[in-house]
Amino acid sequence: MTSQRTRERLVQRLREQGIASSDVLEVIRNTPRHMFVDEALAQRAYEDSSLPIGYSQTLSQPWIVARMTELLLDSGPVERVLEIGTGSGYQTAVLAQLVGQVCSVERIRPLQEKARKRLRELRLKNVQLKHADGGVGWESEAPFDGIVATAAPEVIPPDLLAQLGPGGRLIIPVGVDTQYLTVVTRTAAGLETETFDEVRFVPLRSGLVR
Ligand code: SAH
């Protein structure tokens, strides 16, 4: 069920659906997604679908994880990344293998604790986790070369834009019923916004769950 063949089939499917970065595909091939869901769901871990992780939250489908990561890395190597919504920690694990340092915030403490355990088991040491409301970013660790939000706000929180360093990119789903994957880049001329695929994410919420 977690065999190399099953993983290979997933990577092939992502390739067919337009994921072109061989670095991203390689990391998805080698990241044990079954570790990021409950045992009862493990046999579905290499399907291209989102999966429940408790607390009404979901682990994003592999295609969207790959797509966001590809958009982040589009313009060359990336050093410091902020992730909003650690969730299961799967996207965190993928990012940690492709960038220098990942700072990830999650508002639901029990999810964060499970994610911490999994990331430790995988010996991913370039990750810092915080139980916090990511809508205000992570000021003391800013500026970031990239920010990836895995929960959707109605409008882009201004603090996230403020914490983008020069050349930095924010990858974020935006909208209520209909959401679009949005990329904001801080260029020398100012902020540049591009809109990509229609997507479906859980909403970005304020306040903490202990
Ligand atoms: N990247 C995750 C996806 C989890 S779903 C994964 O790979 O599993 C999105 C997550 O964002 C949820 O865990 C949710 O609790 C969290 N979230 C929502 N609003 C948030 C906020 N304001 N700050 C931090 N995390 C938030």
Side-chain angles (χ1 to χ4, degrees):
M1 100 188 146
T2 53
S3 71
Q4 210 50 40
R5 222 171 72 222
T6 326
R7 295 191 193 192
E8 203 48 58
R9 209 179 300 135
L10 170 63
V11 166
Q12 185 54 33
R13 197 190 142 107
L14 296 178
R15 212 182 270 126
E16 282 161 15
Q17 294 195 319
I19 305 301
S21 160
S22 51
D23 289 348
V24 172
L25 290 171
E26 188 60 22
V27 165
I28 291 204
R29 179 186 287 114
N30 295 328
T31 304
R33 192 169 183 257
H34 64 275
M35 278 179 59
F36 292 84
V37 290
D38 285 346
E39 234 167 282
L41 291 169
Q43 82 280 6
R44 297 189 52 203
Y46 300 95
E47 292 173 13
D48 188 22
S49 51
S50 58
L51 294 171
I53 55 172
Y55 301 85
S56 312
Q57 306 303 318
T58 53
L59 201 182
S60 313
Q61 73 177 108
W63 177 80
I64 194 73
V65 173
R67 181 81 175 123
M68 292 179 96
T69 310
E70 196 173 61
L71 287 169
L72 173 74
L73 300 175
D74 214 20
S75 52
V78 173
E79 185 48 36
R80 294 180 63 74
V81 173
L82 171 67
E83 179 191 30
I84 319 281
T86 314
S88 69
Y90 176 71
Q91 168 101 58
T92 323
V94 168
L95 290 171
Q97 296 170 76
L98 290 160
V99 307
Q101 180 75 31
V102 183
C103 298
S104 183
V105 293
E106 170 57 56
R107 64 182 282 273
I108 302 176
R109 170 89 80 186
L111 288 180
Q112 188 213 5
E113 277 166 4
K114 275 196 193 174
R116 188 187 297 283
K117 230 177 108 214
R118 294 166 178 145
L119 295 165
R120 197 177 291 146
E121 276 173 49
L122 291 176
R123 298 196 163 76
L124 293 168
K125 299 211 168 83
N126 56 339
V127 175
Q128 265 175 281
L129 302 180
K130 185 164 83 153
H131 180 226
D133 179 351
V136 296
W138 191 338
E139 175 92 65
S140 61
E141 294 294 334
F144 299 100
D145 304 313
I147 302 179
V148 174
T150 64
E154 276 176 49
V155 294
I156 297 177
D159 285 322
L160 299 187
L161 297 172
Q163 291 172 27
L164 270 187
R169 324 185 99 190
L170 167 65
I171 325 288
I172 188 167
V174 185
V176 185
D177 296 322
T178 311
Q179 306 166 354
Y180 289 95
L181 196 53
T182 305
V183 177
V184 186
T185 308
R186 182 178 293 287
T187 70
L191 295 172
E192 209 169 79
T193 304
E194 297 164 278
T195 306
F196 292 90
D197 320 74
E198 188 177 335
V199 289
R200 181 171 291 246
F201 277 84
V202 296
L204 185 84
R205 292 194 194 288
S206 55
L208 300 184
V209 178
R210 285 181 193 282

